Amino acid sequence: MTKRSVAQPLRPGLAVGVALVSAALLGSELTLTRLLSVVLWYHFAFFAISVALFGLGLAALAVHYFADRLRDVPRALAAGALATALSLVVVDVAFVNVTPDWFGGALGVFTVLTFKLLGMFLLSAVPFFFGGVVISLALSHYALQASRLYFWDLIGAAAGALALLELAAVLSGPALLLVFAALAAAGGIGFLVGRAAGERGLLVALAVAIALPLGLSATRVVDLRVAKGVDLQRVPPEFTRWNAFSLVTVLPASDFKGWGIAPRYHGSIPPQKTLVIDMNAMTPLIAFDGDFSKVDYVTHDLSAFVYRTRDDWSKVCIIGAGGGKDVLAALSRGADQVTAVEVNPIIARDVMGGRYREMVGDLYGRRDVHLQVEDGRSFARRSDERFDVVHLSMVDTSAASAAGAYALSENALYTAEAFRDFFGALAPRGVLSVASVSLPDLWVGTRLATTLRAALGGGAIGDRVVVLETPWLGVREARLYDFLVAPDGFSADTLLRTRAAAEALGFNVVYMPGHATNPTNPEHALVRRVIQERDEVALTAFLAGLPLDVTATHDDRPFFFYQNRLRDLPLALLLPTPLHLFGNGLVLLSKVFALSCIFALVLMLLPRWYSRGRDTPLRSSEVGFATCLGIGFLLAELGILHRVSPYLGKPTLSLSVVVVAVLAGGALGSRLLSRRSARSVQGLMALLVVALLAAAWTLPLLTDATRSWSPTMRGLCVGAVVFAVGLLLGVPMPAALRAIARRAPDATAWFWAINGGTSVLGTVLATLVALHFGATATVLSAAALYALATLLSRAVLGSESGEPTESGEPS
């Protein structure tokens, strides 16, 4: 590009076009995380973010090399928007038409990355490449107006996130992707405002690109055909509905006999249907006509064992009530009142209170059942009621609901702080019952023990805990653990009844106060050591020596099902992808991390090595500056998201507050603050470092102090903090683009490419830091990178002063 090109005034419609394309890109990125979580497995949903950023970074590099050949930039922008829209349609149709053989065969279903699936991921990058060309070309061609365009870019992205959250309640994932395709095409029309007479052909193509996806969304062309390797044409669902939480599906039959049915139970199993979340997490819909004797099998499941330890259970709270199996168990054993807390409104209202209401005997409409459609932890915090039992049974969903690897599934119900919230909802002599499953490479029993120990204040907790286990789903390699925790301790009579009931049903007693047991499973000894050890220092040293990380999880690091150690990163890089990634996420993350490093280095070095002879190279300080911004922004955004998700409760609320607030704040900061003098920008960057440090240290205090507030007030509180940080995050990039455009206009796209490529790396690094060190450490790492960027800013911004204005220039 010539130096003259960067000073071009903004054309009418250009800003709107950039905003619409940006909205389509972010909306599509977040929609793909949902789609991949359903079609494949929630670990692969992480790829949607990396693939999107990969496409955007590659696009900026292409603009760096080829943009100066363009004679008509507005036409090129419109053509890029058209290509974005059409490629989104292609990706959508391709994803819903994969066949079961793409999943690696029966043993490799869900988690093996086949070559066919790798091809799908690369195809997914194509729309983001074309959309990235549009954004990169606009920002580089009009670089001296970067603050204005960056404002519209971020405002559009924020609008895309809001649109996703609103439309997800009424549209499926595939249909949503088509809506964003139409939005991208509409952006293309914006680029041609004022040129209609000379661009009739392109305008017609854009109009078709708007109508085509909207028309397809009303047909069955984008209906899912395969999910998690299951051919939905052969096993057609009876009921399917999407929302921002998940895909909820009801399949016509079920042979489910309980998570851990008593080995000595030989009674009948009532008719059932299968309710599935994201085609993975399952809960049964049990036929019930009011006769509890017909559903007696639910009381013989280990997860319902708590109701056999006493007869005086009056008030019970079920966290994650789902299809009502645990509600039936509580009522069957004599509970007077059951509060059923279910976060997903589709399950609570459309399934249990709608289509299948008659089948389940209007379970949630009974006078002795009180339904609460809310996050269970939020309900426990705000409720004034006190319960004899708070019950959690297999409440993890493996659904993609936020952003980034394990962040997509964790709902912060398994943290020390969460357990304290549940203890706070217990009446005197009340019991918390928690059931979950251990696999050979996933020691859930041990991690439950360490987390409950931390929740109870540390030290030996042997007089307040009973632990039982049995094969999970009848598979001996998988064990269902049931922890019964009484903060006030168990009475002697309760312990006698517990022991007698366990023996009668055939359950294994792992630990019981005053009851000697012989470990029959290697994990039994670990659980007992954690429960009984009095020396915290000795226990800490012992846990550090274990091959898996089973230390207590906290709100700052809530990744209960992630048990890898960072020291195993080199080994994980060489290991083949396991058939099941629960507990083995490092194997996948290590490979993505390596590829991200390579990609970032290519974007940094390729233009320097392969110069066109007349390019002005970026300085080392500018490369470092772009790197700090690319990685730092993702560390800040995802770190704050990890920190506030347990506080806000609902994953969709966390996503909307953080993403929208940070993008809207960044947009306003870009427009109002980035046009100041270089010295002012440097001062604002130093203030950003202070703001990130303050957010890292004060967010935990703020969330603790306001936990009793309503969800709306908590959202506004967090939104204000995130918006303030976002306001400052939006300053450095447009200021740097403007400065580089004046010094080396042909290097602006290269600078943007480095920022995009390092953003891919930033996503992986943010996930790794959060997984191993926590959300606070992630935000502190962002502060460190922005501190380094502040030091580099003097060399990058120089003595550049405020952005000149041009009279008559449209905004």
Side-chain angles (χ1 to χ4, degrees), residues 147 150-159 161-162 633 637 640 656-674 684 688 718-734 786:
S147 61
Y150 198 58
F151 167 81
W152 287 105
D153 176 33
L154 295 184
I155 280 292
L162 280 175
F633 190 94
E637 182 181 35
I640 292 174
S656 61
V657 166
V658 174
V659 174
V660 174
V662 77
L663 291 174
L668 196 60
S670 167
R671 190 70 182 92
L672 300 180
L673 302 177
S674 69
L684 290 170
L688 171 60
V718 168
V721 173
V722 177
F723 182 85
V725 174
L727 196 69
L728 296 170
L729 284 170
V731 173
M733 175 55 69
Y786 275 103

Side-chain angles (χ1 to χ4, degrees), residues 385-407:
E385 289 190 87
R386 293 297 175 261
F387 302 94
D388 299 304
V389 175
V390 174
H391 189 163
L392 292 84
S393 172
M394 301 292 293
V395 291
D396 44 281
T397 68
S398 302
S401 53
Y406 280 82

Side-chain angles (χ1 to χ4, degrees), residues 30 33-34 161 164-165 243-246 277-278 342-345 374-378 395 397-403 406-413 640-642 644-660 711 714:
L30 297 178
T33 67
R34 294 289 307 108
L164 170 72
L165 293 168
N243 63 6
F245 290 80
S246 59
I277 302 168
D278 278 357
E342 172 53 50
V343 70
N344 197 320
E374 186 176 355
D375 166 64
R377 192 170 164 190
S378 175
V395 291
T397 68
S398 302
S401 53
Y406 280 82
L408 295 172
S409 73
E410 305 295 344
N411 52 17
L413 291 178
I640 292 174
L641 179 62
H642 288 312
V644 303
S645 288
Y647 167 71
L648 295 179
K650 294 183 179 180
T652 49
L653 180 61
S654 304
L655 180 65
S656 61
V657 166
V658 174
V659 174
V660 174
R714 294 201 308 270

Side-chain angles (χ1 to χ4, degrees), residues 299-312:
T299 70
H300 289 77
D301 197 273
L302 178 61
S303 62
F305 185 86
V306 63
Y307 305 115
R308 294 181 176 273
T309 61
R310 279 171 31 198
D311 289 329
D312 58 344

